Amino acid sequence: MENFSEWFHEILDKGDIMDSRYPIKGMNVWLPYGFKIRKYTLELLKELFDRDHDEVLFPLLIPEEELAKEGIHVKGFEEEVYWVTHGGSKELNEKLALRPTSETAIYPMFALWIRSHIDLPMKYYQIVNTFRYETKHTRPLIRVREISTFKEAHTVHATKEESEAQVEDAIELYKEFFDYLGIPYVISKRPEWDKFPGADYTMAFDALMKDGKTLQIGTVHNLGQTFAKTFDITFENEEGKHVYAYQTCCGLSDRIIASIIGIHGDEKGLILPPSVSPNHITIIPILFKEGKEEVLEKCQTLKEEFEAEGVRVHIDDRDIRPGKKFYDWEIKGTPVKLEIGPRDLKENKTIITRRDNGEKIELPLDETVIDSVIDIIEDVNVSISNKAWENHEDSIKISEDLDEIPKLIKEGNIVGFYWNGKEDSGKAIEEETDYDILGTYNELDSDENKKCIYSGEDAKYLALIAKTY
Amino acid sequence: MENFSEWFHEILDKGDIMDSRYPIKGMNVWLPYGFKIRKYTLELLKELFDRDHDEVLFPLLIPEEELAKEGIHVKGFEEEVYWVTHGGSKELNEKLALRPTSETAIYPMFALWIRSHIDLPMKYYQIVNTFRYETKHTRPLIRVREISTFKEAHTVHATKEESEAQVEDAIELYKEFFDYLGIPYVISKRPEWDKFPGADYTMAFDALMKDGKTLQIGTVHNLGQTFAKTFDITFENEEGKHVYAYQTCCGLSDRIIASIIGIHGDEKGLILPPSVSPNHITIIPILFKEGKEEVLEKCQTLKEEFEAEGVRVHIDDRDIRPGKKFYDWEIKGTPVKLEIGPRDLKENKTIITRRDNGEKIELPLDETVIDSVIDIIEDVNVSISNKAWENHEDSIKISEDLDEIPKLIKEGNIVGFYWNGKEDSGKAIEEETDYDILGTYNELDSDENKKCIYSGEDAKYLALIAKTY
């Protein structure tokens, strides 16, 4: 893509997704069509969380005292926190933080709620707005000051093993979620110097955008007992002893929508996976004076028949020419357009246009049309995902030559390399290449005999490096 | 109710609705069960708004300059606004307000979006958290500093008539919504001195709580052209002239849930209308060693059969005695409890207990049970609503004697009285009775010949006065 950044902004604007002219930098307005994409995305995610998490809702504001309790954690966020200092004209007794993330809002309550091992595991999630005072260049959905849709889960466990199993469960949940969206990802364990402040370790999902940069789209953190000790989250175990709990948390942001746009879209606009598209089908009636009523009536009948099967249908009956409608729905990425004019009615046929590959399919306008189009929609979902995964896999290159890495990254790749896992060599690799290590992809068996790309020592990991957002 | 306030707090706590121990006064945590009530309530409301409004989402923060633009409006809120003054350790160039309501966030964008009469009417709504620095005594769901679930709609129209029709439409929408919840209300036009800051007039819904105080549960405002002039919201009309638009807005808060609790509940706890109850049926298996598997299996089969009909079912299979389960679900207000033990299985019967009237109904455990229970659930919905409306209507008294009003209000009534509509007599009535005028209920025909309760002049309105929250 020639100029990804420009294209991305144009899609947000012309696609009726987001208005970035709100008078505060980094805070944007969700427009109706974008809001619907957000809504369907959330519905998918909630279904997954609801299997074994309870949804709750905590206050936005966090007293300074609570936020500051966990020293390592607050250090990671303190320069990014927005502070409320006044109520009306009165200065508050204590400054209140706009949550940058909710550990310090939630965990004091966990300390009140958890008494015994029978209370565990405890698994909650919430969907809220969070705030970061970003000093870097902001970009809607990607780097913002108000994350309007932060999905965070927080779990508490009796043992270390259970917390580790929960991290794996959360990863599986994310996989299932991103598979619904057809979003390809790499999963890696972030290096020590890039993990969540206060976590034992951080697992991250990164997606490769069309500009060759990776976007962190989801993280899962094993918090160990760090926060439990800070917030005094203890429970009586089966032996009657009071011990500290183990915790995990995980988070997803508005970047999910950014990745849907940035990975599936093309020069003509959005390509929405049917799973989250506001309309699966947009029906475009071709209207002339003659036969207008019949055409609109047929559109309405079809709409109702599709809706009875759970298909989301929109009839674009605006009083403008069909060409403009086609153009608009290309931009907005409706998976399937269905066109019907008076001649089609006479000849008992309709033309279906797939947004993902532009294919036009003529179908008989009889009782088979509903199932045929549903099959096409399902095929779009699979095709979009397959195409994205193919591109993704073609863009992962393994290199055993440090000097080659920048070239490969500039060509739009994520690069795998062997690493001894030590911080000094890791940071040296970042410095020499001028790119960021995403994390370790997997641990090597000792008999693989690979050497660290920087130190020449025995490599412990296959790690990933890329140009990141 | 002996001590309503204590009872209300106990329900919130024991009903798993809300935890008020969060370390900031007036900000509370939604617990899983309460969150579900909130969720089903929102689903009903969204369905109504989605008929002809689009859902959007605006940023939380409002620049001081925008908030201050509409002078009358800001004066109504300025002592209640929370201000963000710092990002990290840096003082911001401009103070940012946590929205107390969103007119000043939304209307600058309306000015950008609206060009021509074909853009109108424009109808948006959003569901967000809003903030008020309350200095009065706070109370969860009723008087809070974070309104966690503010539902606000904002509409723009070409003519005054259309904006007035929109106010009527919004009132009809509210009626339909409160009817789903079985919440009785009085609708009145707020007096001039109590209307929304910046509005031409305010229509309000008030519900009478069990302690004899009225709770404002919804408002609709006709904004006229005040904000349009302040924020320069103009459009080109059909004659090609640029003119100011007309606007309305309306809002509902967490008080909806407060009214569900406070109007339907009884000494034993919550009584939830099935329309928003997390479980329509709670199945309580009576378990002995013998026949345990069969009983649980039957519960599971029933659950699936009910769910296929859209009924929400929970099986309480906790390892505690049935009496405790009955007690818990009384508090949590499940409309129907269904109990099955080994003997019931043998005798092919089940006992249904209605929460609203305590009635126990024995039903045969055959293919008729699903429909029978669904009928009971529907009857609960209607009965709860009828009972609430009867109580409500019994508590509206008309008085033609100013001295009698305080006594009637102390007895738990809303009092109707005749009024000339003038501010001086209105304020005098408030002062003499020490209660608040809700507003005018209806305009009198001149041939009704009623006299103002205070001035003795010809009365123009039947108005309402009550003890308010």
Side-chain angles (χ1 to χ4, degrees):
Chain A
M1 198 152 286
E2 197 71 21
N3 186 332
F4 178 81
S5 177
E6 209 172 275
W7 172 86
F8 185 77
H9 275 92
E10 202 176 316
I11 296 272
L12 292 183
D13 176 26
K14 291 200 181 165
D16 189 25
I17 292 174
M18 194 155 253
D19 196 318
S20 57
R21 290 173 296 173
Y22 190 77
I24 303 177
K25 177 179 126 111
M27 301 191 183
N28 308 290
V29 180
W30 281 97
L31 299 172
Y33 192 73
F35 190 89
K36 286 202 185 91
I37 301 173
R38 176 184 183 272
K39 181 177 90 169
Y40 291 119
T41 307
L42 286 180
E43 278 180 12
L44 290 177
L45 186 66
K46 284 176 178 219
E47 213 179 291
L48 296 174
F49 273 127
D50 284 340
R51 284 182 194 159
D52 66 345
H53 290 63
D54 280 313
E55 191 168 359
V56 291
L57 185 57
F58 278 76
L60 166 74
L61 299 176
I62 303 172
E64 183 178 26
E65 190 190 335
E66 298 295 338
L67 188 76
K69 261 186 191 153
E70 174 36 51
I72 307 170
H73 180 69
V74 73
K75 228 172 126 50
F77 287 104
E78 64 188 351
E79 275 311 307
E80 293 185 11
V81 171
Y82 278 107
W83 290 105
V84 175
T85 58
H86 287 74
S89 51
K90 241 187 79 182
E91 188 166 356
L92 302 176
N93 291 331
E94 182 175 29
K95 290 198 295 182
L96 304 172
L98 268 58
R99 63 183 156 223
T101 169
S102 300
E103 286 72 19
T104 57
I106 296 176
Y107 299 170
M109 301 306 286
F110 276 175
L112 296 173
W113 297 343
I114 293 164
R115 290 274 160 269
S116 147
H117 63 95
I118 62 163
D119 299 326
L120 302 180
M122 191 173 264
K123 303 187 187 185
Y124 288 135
Y125 77 100
Q126 66 173 4
I127 300 173
V128 294
N129 49 351
T130 62
F131 293 82
R132 311 271 166 94
Y133 179 62
E134 278 289 348
T135 47
K136 293 188 203 163
H137 183 67
T138 61
R139 191 190 299 270
L141 297 176
I142 291 179
R143 188 172 299 283
V144 292
R145 291 179 161 187
E146 176 176 18
I147 300 169
S148 59
T149 328
F150 193 59
K151 305 92 174 164
E152 50 181 332
H154 297 266
T155 70
V156 191
H157 306 269
T159 67
K160 189 169 184 220
E161 292 66 37
E162 282 175 46
S163 72
E164 282 166 352
Q166 176 60 36
V167 169
E168 292 307 313
D169 286 351
I171 289 173
E172 288 307 311
L173 187 153
Y174 279 11
K175 281 183 180 174
E176 205 173 334
F177 176 60
F178 288 119
D179 287 349
Y180 280 145
L181 311 176
I183 300 292
Y185 44 79
V186 288
I187 305 170
S188 66
K189 187 177 184 174
R190 287 275 182 266
E192 280 296 307
W193 60 91
D194 196 24
K195 67 186 187 185
F196 181 71
D200 278 8
Y201 61 89
T202 289
M203 302 300 299
F205 282 62
D206 294 285
L208 186 61
M209 301 287 270
K210 288 227 157 93
D211 57 356
K213 285 160 81 173
T214 61
L215 189 66
Q216 172 179 303
I217 53 173
T219 48
V220 184
H221 315 292
N222 192 321
L223 302 177
Q225 295 183 309
T226 305
F227 288 88
K229 286 178 180 163
T230 304
F231 289 97
D232 201 26
I233 303 172
T234 63
F235 66 99
E236 190 177 330
N237 67 15
E238 294 191 46
E239 291 81 47
K241 273 188 200 153
H242 286 267
V243 294
Y244 288 112
Y246 291 84
Q247 294 180 272
T248 85
C249 65
C250 65
L252 299 158
S253 73
D254 293 326
R255 288 181 163 192
I256 291 166
I257 310 283
S259 70
I260 294 171
I261 299 169
I263 283 169
H264 298 311
D266 67 12
E267 298 290 348
K268 291 182 190 159
L270 267 175
I271 295 180
L272 286 176
S275 55
V276 297
S277 182
N279 324 319
H280 295 130
I281 304 173
T282 300
I283 299 181
I284 300 179
I286 314 293
L287 300 174
F288 300 92
K289 260 187 202 153
E290 204 165 324
K292 187 173 171 178
E293 289 312 308
E294 289 84 348
V295 168
L296 283 174
E297 209 171 282
K298 183 67 188 172
C299 292
Q300 191 55 38
T301 315
L302 277 175
K303 181 174 195 271
E304 285 161 19
E305 285 172 10
F306 278 117
E307 285 177 346
E309 301 296 319
V311 178
R312 298 192 284 262
V313 180
H314 173 71
I315 302 173
D316 186 351
D317 56 5
R318 289 178 297 166
D319 188 19
I320 54 174
R321 53 188 183 75
K324 169 73 169 118
K325 296 184 187 178
F326 272 88
Y327 174 81
D328 287 350
W329 293 107
E330 295 269 315
I331 292 177
K332 289 192 170 185
T334 294
V336 158
K337 288 187 285 290
L338 187 155
E339 101 191 53
I340 302 182
R343 197 159 29 152
D344 299 314
L345 263 194
K346 219 171 280 168
E347 297 171 8
N348 228 25
K349 66 174 181 60
T350 176
I351 309 283
I352 304 296
T353 313
R354 282 175 66 143
R355 175 63 182 90
D356 63 323
N357 59 12
E359 197 185 343
K360 280 178 189 299
I361 304 158
E362 190 178 302
L363 289 177
L365 207 49
D366 57 21
E367 70 286 354
T368 65
V369 73
I370 304 295
D371 284 345
S372 304
V373 176
I374 290 176
D375 286 347
I376 293 172
I377 293 170
E378 277 167 15
D379 190 61
V380 171
N381 232 349
V382 174
S383 301
I384 287 180
S385 175
N386 287 347
K387 192 177 165 194
W389 272 103
E390 275 166 32
N391 286 340
H392 177 82
E393 278 163 5
D394 286 348
S395 305
I396 298 184
K397 301 278 171 9
I398 293 197
S399 174
E400 301 199 30
D401 173 3
L402 192 58
D403 296 337
E404 186 192 40
I405 288 179
K407 183 175 151 287
L408 287 170
I409 290 177
K410 273 196 197 98
E411 288 168 6
N413 297 295
I414 296 173
V415 180
F417 65 96
Y418 300 104
W419 179 32
N420 63 3
K422 292 183 183 162
E423 184 157 339
D424 58 352
S425 62
K427 291 204 161 166
I429 292 165
E430 290 192 334
E431 198 153 309
E432 291 221 359
T433 58
D434 207 18
Y435 292 111
D436 295 321
I437 293 180
L438 298 179
T440 56
Y441 182 74
N442 61 16
E443 205 156 336
L444 301 172
D445 286 333
S446 58
D447 60 4
E448 291 187 60
N449 247 330
K450 296 292 184 188
K451 299 295 171 195
C452 173
I453 200 170
Y454 180 77
S455 66
E457 291 174 16
D458 284 349
K460 262 188 84 177
Y461 302 101
L462 175 61
L464 301 172
I465 187 164
K467 182 167 185 188
T468 61
Y469 264 96
Chain B
M1 199 153 284
E2 198 71 19
N3 188 332
F4 179 81
S5 178
E6 208 173 275
W7 172 87
F8 186 78
H9 276 92
E10 202 177 316
I11 297 272
L12 292 183
D13 177 25
K14 292 201 180 162
D16 189 24
I17 292 174
M18 193 154 256
D19 195 320
S20 57
R21 290 173 296 171
Y22 190 77
I24 303 177
K25 178 180 125 107
M27 300 189 183
N28 306 289
V29 180
W30 281 96
L31 299 173
Y33 192 74
F35 191 89
K36 286 202 187 91
I37 301 173
R38 175 184 184 271
K39 180 175 90 169
Y40 292 118
T41 307
L42 286 180
E43 279 180 11
L44 290 177
L45 186 67
K46 282 178 180 219
E47 213 179 292
L48 297 175
F49 273 127
D50 284 341
R51 286 182 192 160
D52 66 345
H53 290 64
D54 280 312
E55 192 170 358
V56 291
L57 185 56
F58 279 76
L60 166 73
L61 300 176
I62 303 172
E64 184 178 23
E65 191 190 335
E66 298 294 340
L67 189 76
K69 260 185 192 158
E70 175 34 52
I72 306 170
H73 181 68
V74 73
K75 226 171 129 49
F77 287 103
E78 64 189 351
E79 274 313 306
E80 293 184 13
V81 172
Y82 279 106
W83 290 105
V84 175
T85 57
H86 287 75
S89 50
K90 241 187 79 180
E91 187 167 356
L92 301 176
N93 291 332
E94 182 175 29
K95 289 198 295 184
L96 304 173
L98 268 58
R99 61 183 157 224
T101 169
S102 300
E103 287 71 20
T104 57
I106 296 177
Y107 299 170
M109 301 305 287
F110 276 174
L112 296 173
W113 297 344
I114 294 165
R115 290 276 159 268
S116 147
H117 62 94
I118 63 165
D119 299 325
L120 302 179
M122 190 173 265
K123 303 186 186 185
Y124 288 135
Y125 79 99
Q126 66 174 4
I127 300 172
V128 295
N129 49 352
T130 61
F131 293 81
R132 310 272 166 93
Y133 178 62
E134 278 291 347
T135 47
K136 293 187 204 164
H137 183 67
T138 61
R139 191 191 299 269
L141 297 176
I142 291 180
R143 188 172 298 285
V144 292
R145 290 178 163 188
E146 176 176 19
I147 300 170
S148 60
T149 328
F150 192 61
K151 307 89 173 167
E152 50 180 331
H154 297 265
T155 70
V156 191
H157 306 270
T159 66
K160 190 169 183 220
E161 292 66 37
E162 282 175 46
S163 72
E164 282 166 353
Q166 176 61 35
V167 169
E168 290 309 311
D169 286 351
I171 289 174
E172 288 307 312
L173 186 152
Y174 279 10
K175 282 183 181 174
E176 205 172 336
F177 176 59
F178 288 119
D179 287 348
Y180 280 145
L181 310 176
I183 300 291
Y185 44 78
V186 286
I187 305 171
S188 66
K189 186 176 185 176
R190 286 274 183 266
E192 280 297 305
W193 60 92
D194 197 24
K195 66 186 187 182
F196 182 71
D200 278 8
Y201 61 89
T202 289
M203 302 300 297
F205 282 61
D206 294 285
L208 185 61
M209 301 287 270
K210 288 227 158 94
D211 57 355
K213 285 159 80 174
T214 61
L215 189 66
Q216 172 179 305
I217 52 173
T219 47
V220 184
H221 316 292
N222 193 320
L223 303 177
Q225 295 184 309
T226 305
F227 288 88
K229 286 178 180 163
T230 304
F231 289 97
D232 202 26
I233 303 172
T234 62
F235 66 98
E236 191 177 329
N237 67 14
E238 294 191 45
E239 291 79 48
K241 273 189 202 151
H242 287 267
V243 294
Y244 288 112
Y246 291 84
Q247 294 180 273
T248 84
C249 66
C250 66
L252 299 157
S253 74
D254 293 326
R255 288 182 163 191
I256 291 166
I257 310 284
S259 71
I260 294 171
I261 298 170
I263 283 171
H264 298 311
D266 67 11
E267 298 291 347
K268 291 181 190 161
L270 268 175
I271 296 179
L272 286 175
S275 54
V276 297
S277 182
N279 324 320
H280 296 130
I281 304 173
T282 299
I283 299 181
I284 299 179
I286 313 293
L287 300 174
F288 299 93
K289 260 185 201 155
E290 205 164 324
K292 186 174 173 177
E293 290 311 309
E294 289 83 349
V295 168
L296 284 174
E297 211 171 280
K298 184 65 188 175
C299 293
Q300 190 57 38
T301 316
L302 276 176
K303 180 174 197 272
E304 284 161 19
E305 286 172 9
F306 278 116
E307 285 177 345
E309 301 296 320
V311 177
R312 298 191 284 262
V313 180
H314 173 71
I315 302 173
D316 186 350
D317 56 5
R318 288 177 298 167
D319 189 17
I320 55 174
R321 49 186 187 78
K324 170 75 168 114
K325 294 183 189 179
F326 271 88
Y327 175 80
D328 286 353
W329 293 106
E330 295 269 316
I331 293 178
K332 289 190 171 188
T334 294
V336 159
K337 288 186 285 292
L338 187 155
E339 104 190 51
I340 302 182
R343 195 157 32 150
D344 300 314
L345 264 194
K346 221 171 279 169
E347 297 171 8
N348 228 26
K349 65 173 181 61
T350 176
I351 309 283
I352 303 296
T353 312
R354 283 175 66 144
R355 175 64 182 90
D356 62 323
N357 58 14
E359 196 185 344
K360 281 180 189 296
I361 305 159
E362 188 177 304
L363 289 177
L365 208 49
D366 56 22
E367 70 286 354
T368 64
V369 72
I370 305 294
D371 284 344
S372 303
V373 177
I374 290 177
D375 286 346
I376 293 173
I377 294 170
E378 278 167 15
D379 190 60
V380 172
N381 232 350
V382 175
S383 301
I384 288 180
S385 174
N386 288 347
K387 192 177 164 194
W389 272 103
E390 275 166 35
N391 287 340
H392 177 82
E393 279 164 5
D394 285 348
S395 306
I396 298 184
K397 301 278 173 6
I398 293 194
S399 174
E400 301 198 30
D401 173 5
L402 192 57
D403 295 336
E404 185 192 38
I405 288 180
K407 182 176 154 285
L408 287 171
I409 291 177
K410 272 196 198 99
E411 287 167 7
N413 298 294
I414 296 174
V415 180
F417 66 95
Y418 300 105
W419 180 32
N420 64 2
K422 291 182 184 164
E423 185 157 339
D424 57 353
S425 60
K427 291 202 161 168
I429 292 165
E430 290 192 334
E431 198 152 311
E432 292 220 357
T433 58
D434 207 18
Y435 292 110
D436 296 321
I437 294 180
L438 298 179
T440 56
Y441 182 73
N442 61 17
E443 206 156 336
L444 301 173
D445 287 331
S446 57
D447 59 4
E448 290 187 62
N449 250 327
K450 296 292 182 188
K451 298 295 170 194
C452 174
I453 200 169
Y454 181 77
S455 67
E457 291 175 14
D458 284 348
K460 263 187 85 177
Y461 302 101
L462 175 62
L464 302 172
I465 186 164
K467 182 168 186 186
T468 61
Y469 264 94

